[in-house]
Amino acid sequence: MNLTRSACLAALAGILLAIAFPKIAFAPAGFVALVPVLLAVQGASTRQGFLLGWIAGTTQGFLLLFWVSDVLTRFGGVPLPLALLLNLVLALAFGLFLGAFGGLLARVGLAFGSRSLFAAPFLFVTCEFFREFLLFGFPWCLLGYSQVDFPEFIQIASFTAVHGVSFLLASSSAGVAHAFVGRSPFEKRLGVTIPALMISTAMGYGHARLQDPIAEGGGFSVGVIQAAIPQDQKWDGDLLQSNIERHLALSRAAIARGAKVMIWPESAIGYELDIYPEARKQITDFTEKEGVYLLTGNDDRLRDRSGVMRSYVGAKMISPSGQIAMRYHKIRLVPFGEYLPLSSVLKKFAPVGKLVQGVSDFTPGDVPATTSAFGVSLGAFICYEAIFPSLVRRFPVNGADVLFNLTNDGWYGTSAAPYQHYAMARFRAVENHRFLVRAANTGISAIIDPLGREVAHTDLMERTTLVGDVRAVKEITFYAKHGDVFAWTIAALALLGWLSSLFVTRRLSNKLAPSQTAQAPESEPLQ
């Protein structure tokens, strides 16, 4: 295939992958998004396959993460041209994983031809899965998240996490590609039939799952506070007190509607309660007077065992008696926001050094802390942690019967980022079969049931409260209990397929190579 045409197909795949997510959120695109790049890679060399996959991934990354430019210009003071350049650099890094997919698929194709499409879902999910671990960990908008609004289709996530949904979508694309390039009618039918059967089975399971009543225990009425404080006012010293008062006023309105547990978002309180006793007393007086629990984002500054003072992104639960019933320290920090990877190296280079000099130096926590309110065990994770299935599953395993997510997406305004972040957080409810309560400073705040369905949600930039009931769920899902067994199995099978392709290619090369005897020149006659 002409390289220019192949590159255009790869870029089309990137566009389809991007529009499957918010704000466009055209979920059906997820079922065919990989088709163009699968066709483009057919017959390509390993290097060409990598390049085509990289084009697809970079196109997707630039469109999907375009909001990064706005964040850099609005809050980082970065000139727009430089912001766009940095956005492109991020997209190029984002695209490396699809590049790896394209290169691996092309390599397998050298051995098996169009039958390599049977391996495509395995290779794709493996490359997606390793986004959680490589390049500082950024599993943003994995393909399966595009189907969050179709609860029948995503219930398999309780076994496979989001990776199972991605596998089905990649299989769908592989089936369509088979219809174009399959070697025989039988192969074409098989390539389409297998994904159709898998998707039908998943849908059947999901439908049955939705019909079963949710086994619930005790519960309480929760009040979710969305104060909609603009990001540039969040840390204004002159507004810190009024920001607390705004949260308290909204909380009293929620209490009037029956709420017993108040949830404030990440960074709701600008004062560190351990350092500012006046602010702490204001909060504890409120919980004591109203007889409520208050879970709020609030950073900590504590000395470790060696006596070194360390800062933590944190959350605290204040009890009706005014005591701090739980401290949680964020385990997964935001690279280049809450900590600086390779700091000793990056700070030496301009202009990167200037860009990163204001990065906070937080210490990660290590315990998925839980507490209880009115007899119900709960756990809270913070912001960026919502995109890590393997982290959130640790809370139910540690006893949490209800999950809370505190976040501040005010950095992103009304861009696609808050919608994308919210979609990913909803999957955590399905994977762990738990009610999920999400409190976001500027939205989207929500109450999600254990099947991933919205009970209630807010709009962006809306100053409001949500009040709703949540119940304890004791069931431990397969995923929560066993973790990424599915993803690691897929990765092992992908590795096996790749090794098989190396063996087959080498054997074919040996068969095609002329014998050494035939290549040797005839001997010169003796003189």
Side-chain angles (χ1 to χ4, degrees):
M1 186 182 293
N2 178 274
L3 187 57
T4 301
R5 183 182 177 191
S6 296
C8 290
L9 283 173
L12 175 60
I15 293 170
L16 291 173
L17 286 165
I19 67 173
F21 293 94
K23 283 186 175 180
I24 296 176
F26 183 60
F31 286 87
V32 296
L34 294 175
V35 173
V37 73
L38 293 178
L39 295 176
V41 168
Q42 293 301 302
S45 68
T46 302
R47 184 177 297 179
Q48 289 171 336
F50 175 83
L51 178 61
L52 293 170
W54 199 14
I55 291 171
T58 300
T59 302
Q60 179 198 14
F62 191 76
L63 296 175
L64 202 64
L65 306 173
F66 194 74
W67 45 266
V68 170
S69 301
D70 183 57
V71 173
L72 290 172
T73 54
R74 289 178 60 194
F75 299 108
V78 179
L80 181 59
L82 180 57
L84 291 172
L85 177 61
L86 292 172
N87 207 153
L88 177 59
V89 170
L90 176 60
L92 287 167
F94 187 90
L96 288 173
F97 294 92
L98 260 181
F101 164 68
L104 290 169
L105 184 61
R107 187 66 185 81
V108 175
L110 293 176
F112 300 111
S114 63
R115 291 172 185 168
S116 63
L117 291 171
F118 287 109
F122 296 88
L123 297 171
F124 177 79
V125 169
T126 299
C127 292
E128 266 205 344
F129 178 50
F130 278 93
R131 279 170 52 189
E132 184 170 340
F133 310 104
L134 302 178
L135 292 182
F136 316 118
F138 190 57
W140 191 270
C141 285
L142 305 183
L143 184 55
Y145 290 126
S146 64
Q147 307 304 307
V148 68
D149 286 322
F150 297 92
E152 289 87 357
F153 188 51
I154 66 174
Q155 295 309 311
I156 61 166
S158 62
F159 295 94
T160 68
V162 63
H163 309 297
V165 184
S166 289
F167 184 84
L168 292 178
L169 295 173
S171 298
S172 174
S173 285
V176 175
H178 258 118
F180 285 98
V181 299
R183 291 182 178 181
S184 66
F186 172 76
E187 184 178 317
K188 292 181 179 182
R189 287 195 297 269
L190 186 64
V192 172
T193 301
I194 292 176
L197 287 174
M198 291 192 298
I199 290 171
S200 297
T201 301
M203 292 287 287
Y205 170 75
H207 179 76
R209 182 74 162 167
L210 294 180
Q211 307 312 307
D212 291 338
I214 298 171
E216 300 172 347
F220 48 77
S221 184
V222 63
V224 184
I225 308 305
Q226 182 172 304
I229 298 172
Q231 191 61 30
D232 56 0
Q233 298 179 17
K234 197 71 180 172
W235 302 107
D236 188 329
D238 295 333
L239 298 176
L240 291 180
Q241 179 58 37
S242 64
N243 289 345
I244 292 179
E245 292 171 356
R246 182 181 298 179
H247 282 85
L248 290 172
L250 290 169
S251 296
R252 293 187 182 98
I255 292 169
R257 295 165 58 189
K260 294 296 183 181
V261 177
M262 299 296 110
I263 313 299
W264 292 5
E266 178 189 21
S267 305
I269 301 173
Y271 299 106
E272 295 176 18
L273 296 184
D274 293 324
I275 299 176
Y276 294 92
E278 299 85 357
R280 178 168 177 168
K281 186 175 187 303
Q282 189 175 11
I283 300 300
T284 56
D285 284 351
F286 165 75
T287 61
E288 290 175 5
K289 178 181 178 181
E290 301 292 348
V292 297
Y293 287 88
L294 170 62
L295 176 63
T296 180
N298 186 241
D299 294 345
D300 272 337
R301 199 177 304 170
L302 303 171
R303 293 190 183 277
D304 63 16
R305 293 178 180 177
S306 63
V308 177
M309 184 67 74
R310 298 190 180 278
S311 296
Y312 300 89
V313 179
K316 295 182 177 71
M317 172 70 93
I318 315 297
S319 71
S321 63
Q323 302 300 310
I324 295 180
M326 180 193 74
R327 293 177 187 266
Y328 170 65
H329 294 155
K330 190 176 183 182
I331 297 171
R332 200 72 188 244
L333 300 176
V334 181
F336 303 103
E338 293 167 342
Y339 80 101
L340 182 61
L342 306 175
S343 59
S344 60
V345 176
L346 290 176
K347 287 181 178 179
K348 295 178 181 179
F349 295 93
V352 177
K354 294 180 180 179
L355 290 174
V356 301
Q357 63 185 359
V359 173
S360 299
D361 187 20
F362 287 102
T363 299
D366 56 10
V367 178
T370 61
T371 187
S372 63
F374 302 110
V376 176
S377 179
L378 56 91
F381 51 98
I382 300 173
C383 193
Y384 184 65
E385 294 183 312
I387 73 173
F388 294 94
S390 60
L391 169 60
V392 176
R393 61 169 282 271
R394 295 171 60 187
F395 289 90
V397 170
N398 210 31
D401 299 326
V402 179
L403 296 176
F404 293 87
N405 177 211
L406 315 181
T407 190
N408 176 23
D409 290 348
W411 297 97
Y412 314 122
T414 57
S415 71
Y419 297 95
Q420 294 168 0
H421 198 188
Y422 172 54
M424 291 182 278
R426 285 175 61 185
F427 254 79
R428 308 292 84 86
V430 180
E431 291 163 353
N432 299 286
H433 200 61
R434 292 291 186 272
F435 277 93
L436 171 66
V437 183
R438 187 174 196 260
N441 174 39
T442 55
I444 302 168
S445 301
I447 301 173
I448 307 298
D449 81 0
L451 299 170
R453 299 173 298 194
E454 290 180 324
V455 176
H457 75 275
T458 66
D459 294 326
L460 282 180
M461 304 301 172
E462 180 183 16
R463 186 175 301 173
T464 187
T465 61
L466 288 180
V467 176
D469 293 332
V470 296
R471 296 286 181 267
V473 180
K474 297 292 185 180
E475 173 189 343
I476 299 293
T477 64
F478 179 91
Y479 178 71
K481 185 175 182 179
H482 299 289
D484 289 307
V485 171
F486 173 82
W488 284 114
T489 301
I490 291 296
L493 292 173
L495 176 62
L496 181 62
W498 178 71
L499 292 174
S500 298
S501 73
L502 296 181
F503 173 77
V504 170
T505 304
R506 179 171 297 179
R507 194 172 67 173
L508 288 174
S509 298
N510 290 337
K511 283 184 177 181
L512 293 174
S515 68
Q516 191 170 2
T517 303
Q519 290 179 341
E522 293 183 2
S523 299
E524 293 287 333
L526 293 174
Q527 298 296 324

